[in-house]
Amino acid sequence: MSKRNHLKERLNEKLEAVTFKTLIVGVDIAKHNQWARFVDCRGIEHNKALKFENNRNGFNAILARIYEICKQEDFNKVIVGMEPTGHYWKAFANFLLKQAKITVVLVNPYHTKRAKELDDNSQTKSDKKDALTIARLVKDGRYFETYLPHDVYAELRGLTTTRYSMNKRKKSI
């Protein structure tokens, strides 16, 4: 199978994963406060935007809102999309990955910027607006899966990063 056919097939799989019973949550990640927007498979917004803190209380607040919307609107699956901004997204992604029926995906920040400009022909930045753009990119299958290593694999990744940094310092000395 050619690379082009594989990419087309993969995009079709992503689009098929979003059904009428799927709630899509777009989250704009930040250091202290994050914004979340909630849409369905057609991009129609459900409920109002939610601003929450980047800590366990904030994570529990958005999880409660997700479950509330799922119950009210009869959604049985949730996809949460976010940009991999610095390291701030990792704690939230790890928290969500432990929840049942929630899939976590990542959206390229460059794609968010370009899609936002297409949506409103404006380059103005707003975390609240970015969260909606992220949700709509996820709806359109414009995301990639999350991989966060655990246990030994997380330690190996940390050690590899440290080794790389030490070798770089050694060469400069």
Side-chain angles (χ1 to χ4, degrees), residues 37-85:
R37 304 284 286 269
F38 310 90
V39 300
D40 62 17
C41 67
R42 296 178 296 166
I44 297 172
E45 216 170 340
H46 291 263
N47 217 295
K48 60 184 179 184
L50 174 69
K51 183 178 182 180
F52 64 99
E53 293 180 10
N54 192 5
N55 59 32
R56 180 156 307 271
N57 290 338
F59 300 166
N60 285 325
I62 188 172
L63 191 60
R65 175 74 66 88
I66 288 170
Y67 288 146
E68 177 187 318
I69 295 170
C70 285
K71 187 176 178 185
Q72 288 173 352
E73 306 287 336
D74 197 30
F75 291 116
N76 61 15
K77 184 173 149 189
V78 179
I79 301 176
V80 178
M82 63 187 80
E83 294 174 335
T85 309

Side-chain angles (χ1 to χ4, degrees), residues 6-159:
H6 177 71
L7 291 174
K8 192 183 290 186
E9 195 174 294
R10 189 68 194 113
L11 178 60
N12 287 340
E13 287 174 15
K14 291 176 183 178
L15 292 172
E16 288 169 359
V18 178
T19 67
F20 285 102
K21 296 284 189 176
T22 305
L23 174 65
I24 301 161
V25 183
V27 178
D28 187 63
I29 300 292
K31 185 175 183 178
H32 299 293
N33 294 307
Q34 303 172 136
W35 281 95
R37 304 284 286 269
F38 310 90
V39 300
D40 62 17
C41 67
R42 296 178 296 166
I44 297 172
E45 216 170 340
H46 291 263
N47 217 295
K48 60 184 179 184
L50 174 69
K51 183 178 182 180
F52 64 99
E53 293 180 10
N54 192 5
N55 59 32
R56 180 156 307 271
N57 290 338
F59 300 166
N60 285 325
I62 188 172
L63 191 60
R65 175 74 66 88
I66 288 170
Y67 288 146
E68 177 187 318
I69 295 170
C70 285
K71 187 176 178 185
Q72 288 173 352
E73 306 287 336
D74 197 30
F75 291 116
N76 61 15
K77 184 173 149 189
V78 179
I79 301 176
V80 178
M82 63 187 80
E83 294 174 335
T85 309
H87 64 278
Y88 300 115
W89 66 277
K90 290 180 181 178
F92 184 48
N94 272 316
F95 174 81
L96 290 175
L97 287 169
K98 293 175 186 164
Q99 312 305 317
K101 297 183 183 180
I102 295 181
T103 304
V104 179
V105 298
L106 300 173
V107 173
N108 187 326
Y110 182 75
H111 294 168
T112 303
K113 181 179 188 234
R114 289 292 175 220
K116 183 178 53 179
E117 289 172 8
L118 281 173
D119 285 347
D120 63 4
N121 201 22
S122 166
Q123 292 184 355
T124 58
K125 173 127 175 65
S126 157
D127 294 343
K128 196 173 176 182
K129 186 167 68 170
D130 285 356
L132 184 58
T133 303
I134 291 166
R136 291 189 172 147
L137 284 168
V138 171
K139 169 193 74 77
D140 294 336
R142 310 282 179 204
Y143 62 84
F144 52 98
E145 275 82 25
T146 307
Y147 173 70
L148 287 170
H150 294 285
D151 305 323
V152 165
Y153 302 104
E155 288 180 42
L156 280 172
R157 182 173 276 187
L159 288 170

